[in-house]
């Protein structure tokens, strides 16, 4: 039986090629994901570990928890602590580290490093071992700065050039006095690092006389552990904590691995989708192969082969196919991993150099996935073939499914579909986070139910295309009859395409609806003409609001300033605003009281008011971050949203209790409204700072739209794998269907149907099956998009369903194109059959 199975594999090489390709693509996606993420993670970890070569023990402020009504305040690392650390026995040297955001502009005035990767720090003394100088000398004073060599190369800067940069708002124009090399992970990933002398860095980053970290190097013969123990004895335990350089490197490696796991899981989900779609093709292929060899299997049963041996022979074929596909998929996956790494560099996301990592786990996963998926898909056809009695197989009385089996299948499909719809509908009435798991479970049930019901659905839906197909004459009528002749095969073929289009349509509906809802939220909540913020989301200097207030044409300004506090033993963030202007800069729905901010009067969003049991007129005590307490009164309760929410009080009341005041945003109203000229005027007033964004409502909307578009394009690219696998499924089904119908096609040719008519018949059959899968996929996608939107609507009042009719039409057209392309080779093969040989075939 084993030799028979191997001969069958070799005898049907052409028929199994598409199956191997389908499995191979799925395995390649899985192994490529593992190779790419493992390689990237290893390169980042190695690069990060080099950054701790100069650190034997790091001294950091101990994290403080909020206790009672006291807001936790991080202890400071002072010069005295630095001096004490340097004198500890076993310490060779100690230096203070200062860090902060520094936006550097290139020669065209654009931000270098993407904002969040643009960092600044301090250069210690005249020769800092952390940052070897390539050229120039150490910086001194506010007018001098160092830049890393990678940034210098990308931006075209050299020693002596004057650069434009910003720390928290105002523009600085220091001279580059030196260029240094670094193993900093952000720089390796495409960011930038700028260094000032220590005193300047402390002043610019709002940390005069203090440090973010103290790095201590060990003397010769002193281990990191011994040095840490000595520092623990010498330094106050209640204000600082110490960590060895090795532990820092290990922690960083763990953080990198954790962050990469999210990317890995996301990519593996799409690989799983491709494999899931491929499973339909494999099952379809083996079902047809087994059906074509029914008499052969019956003869084997007649000469003594048992049912188990017949099933085993089919599984051996599947094992060989899966093993070949697994090996080919692994090789292709290594190429995909290398390609993804190169693609990141092409897109500007520089990654550290490092080898491709093909771990034993990746090899084992590729082979196991390829073999297991193929054998699982082939098990049911093999078992079904083994159950056919030899006499029945010889006379082909088994060919049609019994009424009982069809009724059972339809009943099961209806139950699954009804259960799925019920669970999804129930989930839409739940709170956002509570309904996610039930909705996912309901979606799986519904997809399984629709798949089981697809043979039943195929007849009426394909019959609806009959009037169109009649226009193609005999070829059209034959195509319709062929597509419903074997509903199960048609269902399996269409389902592969259905799954891909369900996901694509669902995400498109969600993205379009969210975009519209956020547009409505922005237009409904904001009356200001402009919102000013940092490009990386960091805080703005209060000088920005003061500068804007003095700019010509500006009539109203208000900062949005966050500050921690303790209320009723809980941490609550206060939002400092210009009480006299905030009501005219926003358009929030007031549910109780009045929107009055000033003195002791504050306004509170509805969620916060509900959590504390407040209403208009309520009084409460707030404990500010400096420890002082004050009683405030609720003047009004407004309906919050994702853009504006929280407890608003006047900055005049909040500022005295803040040590380092900083604004998250500044709202601006102008006399001339929003226009290009006004925007230019505001940007010039702020020094044409590359780190600061001046956005009107349209800009905010476009920025969000850009995010959604980028996300959708990435998802479309990932789901393209599933669509490619579905195309292979259609080709496979048609090719094997043509083989099965060779005698019939020969008869059609003999009675006068020309080759063009045969080609048209096969193409129309493919088109009908593909459009059937497309209609089901788009329908399910719209339902899931609506359901997910209803769930999201519990947290976003402005949410409304928006159906992207244009894109849905494009998806249907895509399904039609898939059908046409998939039919090219089978149609050509059918038309080229020799009619006499075809008539004689069995």
């Amino acid at each position: 039986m084993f030799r028979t199975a191997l001969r069958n594999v070799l005898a049907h090489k052409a028929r199994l090629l598409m199956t191997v390709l389908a499995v191979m693509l799925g395995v390649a996606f899985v192994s490529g994901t593992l190779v790419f993420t493992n390689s990237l993670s290893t390169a980042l970890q190695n690069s990060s570990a080099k950054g701790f070569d100069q650190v034997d023990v790091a001294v950091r402020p101990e994290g403080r928890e909020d206790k009672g009504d006291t807001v936790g305040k991080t202890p400071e690392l002072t010069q005295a602590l630095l001096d004490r650390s340097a004198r500890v026995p076993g310490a060779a040297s100690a230096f203070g580290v200062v860090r902060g955001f520094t936006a550097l502009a290139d020669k065209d005035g654009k931000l270098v490093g993407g904002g969040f990767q643009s960092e600044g720090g301090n250069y210690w003394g005249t020769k800092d071992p952390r940052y070897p100088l390539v050229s120039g000398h150490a910086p001194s004073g506010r007018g001098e700065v160092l830049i890393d060599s990678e940034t210098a190369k990308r931006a075209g800067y050299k020693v002596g050039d004057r650069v434009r940069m910003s720390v928290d708002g105002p523009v600085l124009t220091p001279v580059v006095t030196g260029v240094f090399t670094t193993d900093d992970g952000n720089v390796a990933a495409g960011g930038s690092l700028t260094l000032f002398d220590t005193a300047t860095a402390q002043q610019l980053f709002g940390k005069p006389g203090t440090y973010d970290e103290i790095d201590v190097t060990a003397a010769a013969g002193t281990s990191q552990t011994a040095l840490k123990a000595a520092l623990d004895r010498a330094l106050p335990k209640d204000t600082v904590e110490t960590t060895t350089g090795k532990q820092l490197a290990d922690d960083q490696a763990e953080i990198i691995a954790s962050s990469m796991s999210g990317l890995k899981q996301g990519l593996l989900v799409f690989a799983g989708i491709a494999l899931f779609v491929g499973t339909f093709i494999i099952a379809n292929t083996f079902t047809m192969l087994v059906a074509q060899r029914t008499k052969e299997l019956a003869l084997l049963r007649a000469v003594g082969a048992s049912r188990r041996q017949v099933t085993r022979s089919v599984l051996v074929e599947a094992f060989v196919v899966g093993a070949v596909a697994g090996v080919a998929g692994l090789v292709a996956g290594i190429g995909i991993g290398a390609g993804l790494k190169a693609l990141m560099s092409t897109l500007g996301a520089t990654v550290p150099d490092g080898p491709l990592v093909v771990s034993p786990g990746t090899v084992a996963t590729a082979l196991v996935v390829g073999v297991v998926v193929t054998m699982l898909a082939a098990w049911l056809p093999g078992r079904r073939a083994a159950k056919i009695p030899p006499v029945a197989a010889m006379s082909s009385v088994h060919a049609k499914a019994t009424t009982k089996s069809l009724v059972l299948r339809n009943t099961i499909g209806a139950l699954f579909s009804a259960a799925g719809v019920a669970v999804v509908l129930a989930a839409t009435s739940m709170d956002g986070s509570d309904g996610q798991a039930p909705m996912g479970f309901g979606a799986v049930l519904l997809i399984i139910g629709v798949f089981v019901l697809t043979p039943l659905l195929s007849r009426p839906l394909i019959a609806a295309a009959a009037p169109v197909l009649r226009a193609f004459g005999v070829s059209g009528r034959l195509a319709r009859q062929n597509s419903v002749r074997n509903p199960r095969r048609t269902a399996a073929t269409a389902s592969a395409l259905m799954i891909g289009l369900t996901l694509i349509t669902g995400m498109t509906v969600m993205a379009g609806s969210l975009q519209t809802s956020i547009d409505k939220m922005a237009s409904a909540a904001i009356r200001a003409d402009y919102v000013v913020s940092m490009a990386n989301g960091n805080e703005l200097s209060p000088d920005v609001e003061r500068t804007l207030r003095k700019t010509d044409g500006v009539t109203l300004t208000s900062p949005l300033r966050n500050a921690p506090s303790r209320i009723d033993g809980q941490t609550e963030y206060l939002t400092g605003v210009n009480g006299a202007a905030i009501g005219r800069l926003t358009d929030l729905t007031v549910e109780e009281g009045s929107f009055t901010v000033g003195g002791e009067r504050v306004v509170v969003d509805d969620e916060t008011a509900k959590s504390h049991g407040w209403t208009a007129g309520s009084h409460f005590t707030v404990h500010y971050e400096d420890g002082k307490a004050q009683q405030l009164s609720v003047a009004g309760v407004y309906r919050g949203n994702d853009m504006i929410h929280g407890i608003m009080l006047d900055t005049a009341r909040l500022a005295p209790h803040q040590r380092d005041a900083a604004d998250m945003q500044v709202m601006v109203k102008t006399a001339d409204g929003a226009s290009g000229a006004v925007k230019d005027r505001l940007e010039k007033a702020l020094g044409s700072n590359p780190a600061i964004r001046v956005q009107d409502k349209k800009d905010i909307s476009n920025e969000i739209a850009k995010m959604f578009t980028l996300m959708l394009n990435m998802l479309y690219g990932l789901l393209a794998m599933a669509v490619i696998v579905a195309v292979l499924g259609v080709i496979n089904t048609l090719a094997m269907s043509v083989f099965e119908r060779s005698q019939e096609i020969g008869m059609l040719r003999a009675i006068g149907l020309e080759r063009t008519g045969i080609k048209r018949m096969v193409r129309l059959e493919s088109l009908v099956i593909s459009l059937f899968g497309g209609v089901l996929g788009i329908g399910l996608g719209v339902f899931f998009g609506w359901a997910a939107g209803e769930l999201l609507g519990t947290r976003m009042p402005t949410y409304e369903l928006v159906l992207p009719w244009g894109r849905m039409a494009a998806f249907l057209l895509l399904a039609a194109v898939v059908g046409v392309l998939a039919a090219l080779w089978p149609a050509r093969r059918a038309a080229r059959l020799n009619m006499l040989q075809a008539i004689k075939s069995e």
Side-chain angles (χ1 to χ4, degrees):
M1 292 299 294
F2 180 75
R3 289 195 299 271
T4 301
L6 289 180
R7 280 198 298 268
N8 283 327
V9 172
L10 296 175
H12 304 112
K13 293 188 289 290
R15 299 185 216 169
L16 290 171
L17 177 62
M18 295 299 174
T19 303
V20 171
L21 283 174
V23 182
M24 186 197 77
L25 283 173
V27 172
F29 206 161
V30 172
S31 55
T33 295
L34 295 175
V35 169
F36 169 65
T37 52
N38 289 342
S39 301
L40 187 58
S41 179
T42 300
L44 289 172
Q45 287 173 13
N46 292 340
S47 175
S48 174
K50 291 179 184 177
F52 297 107
D53 287 347
Q54 302 295 329
V55 182
D56 288 316
V57 178
V59 180
R60 293 174 171 175
E62 184 187 40
R64 292 292 185 87
E65 295 181 359
D66 297 340
K67 298 178 180 178
D69 290 322
T70 303
V71 178
K73 184 180 179 183
T74 304
E76 295 177 342
L77 299 182
T78 62
Q79 185 65 37
L81 278 174
L82 174 63
D83 296 338
R84 192 188 304 182
S85 301
R87 293 193 299 267
V88 166
S93 62
F95 51 87
V97 178
V98 184
R99 301 188 187 94
F101 169 70
T102 302
L104 176 68
D106 60 19
K107 289 188 175 182
D108 295 326
K110 295 180 180 179
L111 186 65
V112 175
F116 69 94
Q117 294 173 332
S118 299
E119 293 188 351
N122 66 312
Y123 189 84
W124 189 255
T126 57
K127 189 176 181 181
D128 193 328
R130 299 171 298 169
Y131 308 113
L133 287 174
V134 177
S135 60
H137 59 82
S140 176
R142 196 180 181 98
E144 295 184 354
V145 71
L146 302 181
I147 61 175
D148 69 88
S149 56
E150 290 297 322
T151 298
K153 189 187 302 181
R154 287 193 294 265
Y157 286 130
K158 61 184 184 298
V159 174
D161 288 345
R162 190 170 291 278
V163 296
R164 294 175 60 81
M165 60 175 54
S166 171
V167 173
D168 60 359
V171 176
L172 306 174
T173 55
V175 173
V176 177
T177 62
V179 176
F180 62 91
T181 59
T182 177
D183 293 314
D184 186 280
N186 278 331
V187 173
S192 66
L193 179 62
T194 53
L195 302 176
F196 306 90
D197 68 85
T198 300
T200 300
Q202 289 174 326
Q203 181 186 10
L204 289 174
F205 301 139
K207 304 161 186 174
T210 64
Y211 304 97
D212 294 301
E213 181 176 304
I214 297 172
D215 290 341
V216 187
T217 55
T222 303
S223 68
Q224 291 186 354
T225 306
L227 179 59
K228 180 182 184 301
L231 286 165
D232 286 339
R233 289 191 296 270
L235 302 179
K237 295 182 177 61
D238 59 335
T239 58
V240 300
E241 56 186 14
T242 59
T243 311
T244 63
K246 182 180 183 304
Q247 185 62 50
L248 288 173
D250 291 344
D251 291 344
Q252 187 67 23
E254 188 176 337
I255 291 171
I256 291 171
S258 176
S259 64
M260 293 303 298
S261 69
L263 174 63
K264 183 186 294 185
Q265 288 172 6
L267 291 172
L268 286 175
V269 165
F270 290 96
I273 292 169
L275 279 172
F276 185 60
V277 171
T279 302
F280 290 110
I281 301 170
I282 301 163
N284 217 12
T285 301
F286 275 94
T287 298
M288 288 186 284
L289 284 174
V290 169
Q292 291 169 12
R293 288 168 27 216
T294 300
K295 290 186 178 181
E296 174 190 329
L297 295 176
L299 284 172
L300 289 174
R301 290 289 312 282
V303 297
S306 65
R307 288 185 178 182
R308 184 174 297 176
Q309 286 178 310
V310 171
T311 303
R312 194 180 300 151
S313 71
V314 176
L315 291 178
V316 167
E317 291 183 48
F319 175 83
V320 174
V321 171
V324 171
V327 172
L330 175 62
V331 174
I334 295 172
I336 289 174
L340 286 173
K341 197 174 178 185
L343 179 63
M344 286 189 70
S345 300
T346 304
L347 295 175
T350 307
V351 296
D353 291 332
L356 282 178
V357 178
V358 185
S359 66
T362 300
V363 176
T365 300
L367 294 176
V368 169
V369 167
V371 171
V372 170
V373 168
T374 309
M375 292 184 71
L376 283 176
W379 175 76
L380 190 59
R383 185 170 176 271
R384 189 184 298 132
K387 292 174 67 175
I388 300 171
V391 175
M394 294 290 187
S395 58
S396 298
V397 298
H398 66 287
K400 292 186 178 180
T402 63
T403 304
K404 181 180 177 181
S405 69
L406 291 175
V407 170
L408 179 62
R409 177 178 180 130
N410 294 338
T411 302
I412 292 173
L415 290 174
F416 267 87
S417 299
V421 170
V423 173
V424 169
L425 291 177
T428 60
S429 61
M430 298 180 183
D431 187 53
S433 56
D434 296 336
Q436 290 177 2
M439 182 164 291
F441 178 65
V444 171
L445 287 178
L446 181 55
I447 287 177
I448 293 173
V450 171
F451 168 67
V452 175
L453 280 177
T454 306
L456 178 67
L457 298 173
S458 64
R459 291 187 178 276
L461 288 178
I462 292 176
V468 177
L469 292 174
R470 280 197 207 100
F472 295 94
V474 174
S475 297
R477 288 195 296 274
L478 289 171
R480 185 183 68 81
Q481 291 169 5
N482 289 335
S483 57
V484 295
R485 176 185 296 180
N486 192 331
R488 291 184 175 182
R489 183 190 304 164
T490 298
T493 307
S495 295
L497 190 59
M498 175 192 78
I499 292 170
L501 287 180
T502 295
L503 295 170
I504 291 174
T505 305
M507 288 186 298
T508 304
V509 170
M510 278 286 296
S513 301
L514 276 172
Q515 177 62 51
T516 302
S517 304
I518 291 171
D519 288 349
K520 285 176 62 180
M521 185 187 298
S523 61
I526 300 174
R527 285 183 185 169
D529 295 319
Y530 293 97
V531 176
V532 180
S533 61
M534 291 291 280
N536 69 328
N538 273 14
E539 297 174 330
L540 286 163
S541 166
D543 292 338
V544 172
E545 196 258 341
R546 288 192 282 268
T547 300
L548 290 168
R549 195 190 314 155
K550 298 173 185 176
T551 303
D552 290 341
V554 173
T555 57
L556 292 173
T557 63
S558 174
L560 294 178
R561 179 178 302 175
N562 285 352
S565 71
R566 297 288 288 178
I567 300 173
D568 297 336
Q570 300 177 15
T571 299
E572 291 283 0
Y573 277 85
L574 307 174
T575 302
V577 298
N578 180 347
I582 191 65
R584 287 176 285 172
L585 292 169
T586 58
D587 190 14
L588 300 166
T589 302
V590 179
E591 297 187 340
E592 281 186 71
S594 62
F595 200 89
T596 305
V597 180
E600 297 179 356
R601 291 174 297 177
V602 302
V603 292
V604 185
D605 71 281
D606 49 349
E607 292 293 330
T608 304
K610 183 179 179 181
S611 67
H612 288 281
W614 295 337
T615 59
S618 296
H619 296 269
F620 63 92
T621 301
V622 60
H623 295 262
Y624 296 106
E625 58 183 306
D626 63 355
K628 294 183 180 179
Q630 188 175 56
Q631 191 174 65
L632 301 175
S633 64
V634 179
V637 177
Y638 67 92
R639 187 181 302 161
N641 55 54
D642 289 341
M643 300 185 72
I644 301 177
H645 55 87
I647 303 171
M648 292 188 195
L649 75 162
D650 200 293
T651 50
R653 179 68 59 178
L654 178 63
H657 304 286
Q658 290 185 286
R659 179 187 172 197
D660 300 314
D663 302 330
M664 294 304 297
Q665 295 178 337
V666 177
M667 294 180 138
V668 181
K669 189 80 173 174
T670 62
D672 299 327
S675 68
V678 173
K679 184 176 181 179
D680 289 342
R681 190 192 314 153
L682 295 179
E683 289 177 341
K684 287 178 182 177
L686 295 172
S688 300
N689 194 323
I692 298 180
R693 297 180 301 185
V694 179
Q695 297 176 298
D696 58 19
K697 295 177 188 178
K698 187 176 181 182
D699 292 331
I700 295 172
S701 176
N702 289 341
E703 183 180 15
I704 296 169
K706 192 184 297 182
M707 273 176 23
F708 281 123
T709 302
L710 177 63
M711 178 188 71
L712 271 180
N713 288 340
M714 288 175 58
L715 294 176
Y716 287 160
L718 292 170
L719 286 172
M721 183 70 74
V723 175
I724 291 171
V725 174
V727 171
L728 291 175
V730 178
I731 296 173
N732 211 15
T733 300
L734 288 174
M736 299 189 77
S737 177
V738 166
F739 176 82
E740 280 184 351
R741 304 202 312 261
S742 296
Q743 191 176 54
E744 175 188 319
I745 291 172
M747 291 294 293
L748 290 171
R749 291 276 289 114
I751 61 175
L753 189 60
E754 296 180 351
R755 287 185 174 180
T756 54
I758 297 291
K759 286 183 180 180
R760 190 180 300 120
M761 175 187 72
V762 176
R763 288 171 184 164
L764 289 174
E765 180 182 348
S766 174
L767 183 64
V768 166
I769 292 174
S770 297
L771 286 176
F772 170 54
V775 169
L776 286 181
I778 292 171
L780 281 175
V782 170
F783 176 71
F784 290 141
W786 165 82
E790 288 294 304
L791 188 62
L792 189 63
T794 59
R795 292 178 173 267
M796 185 180 288
T798 57
Y799 184 87
E800 68 170 289
L801 179 68
V802 176
L803 294 181
W805 294 106
R807 291 207 175 191
M808 288 195 295
F811 296 154
L812 198 60
L813 181 61
L814 172 65
V817 171
V818 165
V820 172
L821 292 178
L824 291 178
W825 178 61
R828 185 168 177 269
R829 184 167 178 244
R832 294 179 65 185
L833 284 175
N834 183 291
M835 71 175 73
L836 295 179
Q837 290 179 355
I839 291 171
K840 289 189 295 181
S841 66
E842 293 186 7

